Amino acid sequence: MRHVLQTAALMTSCLAAPAVADMSPVVVELFTSQGCSSCPPADAMLTELAARDDVIALALHVDYWDYIGWKDVFAQPAHTLRQQDYARATGDTTIYTPQFVVAGKDFVVGARGMAVVDLIAEHRGHENPVAVALDWSGDTLTVDAEFEAVPVDGDYVVQLVRILPEQTVDIVRGENAGKTIVYSNVVQSIDVLGEWDGTSPVSYEADVTDAEQVAVIVQLGTNGPVVGAAKINN
């Protein structure tokens, strides 16, 4: 583990972008912790990104800072494992907060906000090869996925992400003691709906009764590039 202590000033005007209906959103994951003193600027940036229609912004709270005086109320071991999987995919031997992962393939220290913005713009210029369509009726979410181009051989994973859109937390101990922080798009869980070879369209149904918002991510493995994604509100 390492703790990145850089800071950056982030301007809302740089983060805002018009929605483009016919383009796939870019998935941006932030690995963060309420016990990390360098995380609040990255958390604020994720809040700005969460307001964009062309981005699926996800906050994954890890648990490895819980020992230093404050237990993150959103932290899950599964999020730490996901970050470790990303690290293994790139040959890294350490994990840290804050860290952004853009489209499952680009990794950015959380303080380098403009690098994240630039990467989003870069990925916006390349349509995802998989079209993902979502329909949420009652308690049932229907997911349809289909390659719009010639499938690239690989083992793809279709994942359902349950999201809390906004939560405010008063932190009373640890490195952020005394701060009140707004957290956006907090990931409650990531569940694998199924594995897929991409050769023919696929459809899934999931019972969703405990989330206000969900996203579906199609990814090469669980730690590779994102090839398709969509988000829907209840």
Side-chain angles (χ1 to χ4, degrees):
M1 295 184 298
R2 67 177 186 269
H3 200 173
V4 180
L5 298 177
Q6 299 152 295
T7 59
L10 302 171
M11 298 183 64
T12 301
S13 60
C14 295
L15 298 176
V20 181
D22 60 350
M23 294 292 287
S24 299
V26 179
V27 176
V28 178
E29 300 173 65
L30 171 64
F31 291 94
T32 186
S33 172
Q34 293 168 5
C36 161
S37 62
S38 57
C39 284
D43 297 321
M45 180 177 180
L46 193 85
T47 292
E48 298 291 345
L49 293 175
R52 290 176 52 163
D53 292 332
D54 62 340
V55 174
I56 296 177
L58 302 172
L60 293 99
H61 289 242
V62 298
D63 63 351
Y64 50 82
W65 292 122
D66 285 357
Y67 74 95
I68 59 174
W70 177 256
K71 181 176 174 59
D72 190 317
V73 297
F74 304 128
Q76 296 188 32
H79 298 165
T80 300
L81 291 174
R82 184 171 176 86
Q83 190 181 24
Q84 290 171 338
D85 283 345
Y86 275 131
R88 278 191 287 270
T90 59
D92 288 340
T93 58
T94 59
I95 56 176
Y96 60 90
T97 55
Q99 182 189 40
F100 284 100
V101 179
V102 181
K105 61 184 295 186
D106 293 309
F107 304 85
V108 183
V109 172
R112 296 181 59 208
M114 292 313 302
V116 175
V117 172
D118 290 343
L119 284 167
I120 291 171
E122 179 181 328
H123 285 286
R124 289 290 294 153
H126 304 281
E127 179 71 4
N128 282 329
V130 173
V132 179
L134 305 180
D135 179 73
W136 198 347
S137 179
D139 295 335
T140 302
L141 178 74
T142 302
V143 180
D144 294 294
E146 180 179 5
F147 262 92
E148 295 189 318
V150 176
V152 178
D153 288 341
D155 297 320
Y156 299 94
V157 178
V158 183
Q159 300 159 98
L160 172 64
V161 185
R162 289 175 171 84
I163 301 166
L164 287 171
E166 185 174 289
Q167 298 288 306
T168 301
V169 178
D170 296 320
I171 300 175
V172 298
R173 294 186 300 278
E175 292 186 354
N176 290 315
K179 294 181 179 180
T180 298
I181 301 178
V182 176
Y183 294 100
S184 297
N185 287 15
V186 176
V187 172
Q188 298 172 271
S189 63
I190 302 179
D191 299 309
V192 174
L193 294 178
E195 298 180 354
W196 180 42
D197 63 8
T199 57
S200 59
V202 68
S203 183
Y204 300 96
E205 286 191 349
D207 184 43
V208 181
T209 59
D210 54 352
E212 300 176 44
Q213 186 180 95
V214 299
V216 170
I217 300 172
V218 183
Q219 194 168 8
L220 186 59
T222 55
N223 61 354
V226 173
V227 295
K231 185 178 69 174
I232 190 171
N233 296 324
N234 193 358

